[in-house]
Amino acid sequence: MYKAVVSDLDGTLLNEKHKASPYTKETIKLLLKKGIKFYIATGRSYLGAKEVMEEIGLKIPLITSNGARILDESGVEIYVNNLERKYVEKLLAIDYKSFGNDIILNGYSDSNWYVTEDAHDYFYAQKPERKLYPEQISFGYFSKKNFSKIFFLGEHKKLLELEKEVKRVTNNETNVVFVNERSLEIFSKTCNKAIAADFLLKKDELTLKDAVSFGDGVNDYDLITQTGLGFAMKNSIYRLLEKLSDIEIIESNENDGMAKKVREIFDL
């Protein structure tokens, strides 16, 4: 019945070490061999998502930046929905450090990841095996960029307070979501993973109802609830689980939950 799978990366397809397990890699190969389409829809930048796909050995279109940007198999941009300039300016006018001096401002512009301070130690502590790090640029240079998304990293309690200010200054006219407890992300109101997945599926003469989806963050909510069959991971952020009612919760990413469910659904 289902002809495609759309999966998030971190916290879903990838394990707690941000790697695809041998079991997951084999599952994807079996899926493709059976003629089922496979898509990735991630909050990562293109380069971050491409790194994972190369490790798995895949060459597929990539939905990045929570659906704000899609690049084809060759890395050519085929879809973009950047955050409007007026909202970028409102966000950058926030005194975000007043909510927590450890909060770090980030932005994705094209395929680039930028920060405005030296945050190497923070990123290394979160993910020691990291290969890609953001480029540090001045706030003035940062403020001139166009962004697919802007996000703040820090302690969850502090980000909860910052979230209120973000929604106030943008008048609730942007998407403001927690991808995980340490990442508050802002992107276009007319942008989400479901819209981007629909764009790719239509190119293959499919619809969202033909697809099975998996995710663990609030940025996965639209995708999970609009595809023919959607699943949330056991390790999902609490806000996603609170929003879902009739969606099945599957095993965690640490236990290959996504791959196990894919094998069950498609009899692999």
Side-chain angles (χ1 to χ4, degrees):
M1 177 180 177
Y2 299 106
K3 302 175 182 178
V5 171
V6 187
S7 178
D8 173 47
L9 282 181
D10 296 285
T12 305
L13 183 146
L14 304 181
N15 60 25
E16 73 281 9
K17 295 180 180 179
H18 302 278
K19 298 289 184 180
S21 71
Y23 181 83
T24 293
K25 291 179 181 179
E26 181 186 27
T27 300
I28 295 170
K29 290 177 181 178
L30 291 172
L31 188 73
L32 294 173
K33 188 176 181 179
K34 196 166 185 175
I36 306 299
K37 296 291 184 179
F38 182 72
Y39 308 93
I40 289 299
T42 179
R44 288 191 182 203
S45 68
Y46 170 68
L47 294 179
K50 181 172 177 282
E51 179 184 47
V52 176
M53 292 304 98
E54 289 177 344
E55 181 186 336
I56 296 175
L58 292 177
K59 194 170 184 181
I60 59 175
L62 295 171
I63 297 170
T64 67
S65 300
N66 298 327
R69 196 163 180 253
I70 305 175
L71 297 99
D72 69 12
E73 297 90 337
S74 301
V76 176
E77 183 180 271
I78 57 174
Y79 175 94
V80 64
N81 186 352
N82 281 336
L83 192 57
E84 284 187 55
R85 188 70 210 169
K86 64 179 179 180
Y87 298 121
V88 171
E89 293 173 356
K90 289 177 183 293
L91 291 169
L92 298 186
I94 296 174
D95 181 12
Y96 65 93
K97 288 291 187 181
S98 67
F99 294 87
N101 195 53
D102 60 336
I103 294 175
I104 301 169
L105 171 66
N106 297 251
Y108 286 166
S109 180
D110 295 325
S111 293
N112 303 303
W113 176 13
Y114 296 112
V115 291
T116 58
E117 61 187 283
D118 183 0
H120 185 278
D121 290 346
Y122 172 89
F123 291 111
Y124 182 81
Q126 296 296 317
K127 186 181 172 185
E129 71 279 7
R130 180 184 298 277
K131 295 179 182 178
L132 292 175
Y133 285 88
E135 179 183 351
Q136 181 185 353
I137 60 177
S138 70
F139 183 84
Y141 191 28
F142 188 98
S143 65
K144 295 177 182 178
K145 297 286 185 181
N146 293 316
F147 293 100
S148 53
K149 77 173 185 180
I150 285 176
F151 56 112
F152 298 94
L153 299 176
E155 294 180 21
H156 189 56
K157 288 184 178 179
K158 297 175 182 178
L159 293 179
L160 285 171
E161 294 303 312
L162 177 56
E163 177 191 31
K164 297 174 185 176
E165 180 65 4
V166 168
K167 288 183 175 181
R168 185 188 70 80
V169 301
T170 60
N171 196 33
N172 285 316
E173 294 172 354
T174 60
N175 264 321
V176 183
V177 302
F178 276 96
V179 171
N180 57 59
E181 292 192 2
R182 299 188 65 87
S183 186
L184 177 65
E185 309 199 349
I186 304 97
F187 47 102
S188 171
K189 192 74 170 180
T190 59
C191 160
N192 62 54
K193 290 185 180 183
I195 293 172
D198 185 57
F199 178 88
L200 278 186
L201 286 160
K202 284 180 178 176
K203 291 176 73 67
D204 286 322
E205 299 183 343
L206 299 173
T207 70
L208 284 171
K209 296 305 178 184
D210 292 316
V212 179
S213 64
F214 301 85
D216 73 308
V218 181
N219 58 329
D220 296 307
Y221 175 79
D222 297 285
L223 182 66
I224 291 172
T225 56
Q226 292 181 38
T227 47
L229 196 59
F231 299 93
M233 310 300 293
K234 184 178 180 180
N235 53 280
S236 296
I237 185 172
Y238 68 95
R239 279 198 171 182
L240 175 64
L241 297 178
E242 289 173 353
K243 286 169 66 71
L244 299 173
S245 55
D246 300 325
I247 299 298
E248 181 181 344
I249 310 303
I250 62 174
E251 286 190 60
S252 69
N253 64 322
E254 185 177 357
N255 294 317
D256 291 321
M258 187 279 290
K260 289 178 180 176
K261 182 56 68 172
V262 165
R263 291 196 184 212
E264 176 188 322
I265 293 169
F266 295 96
D267 193 25
L268 300 179

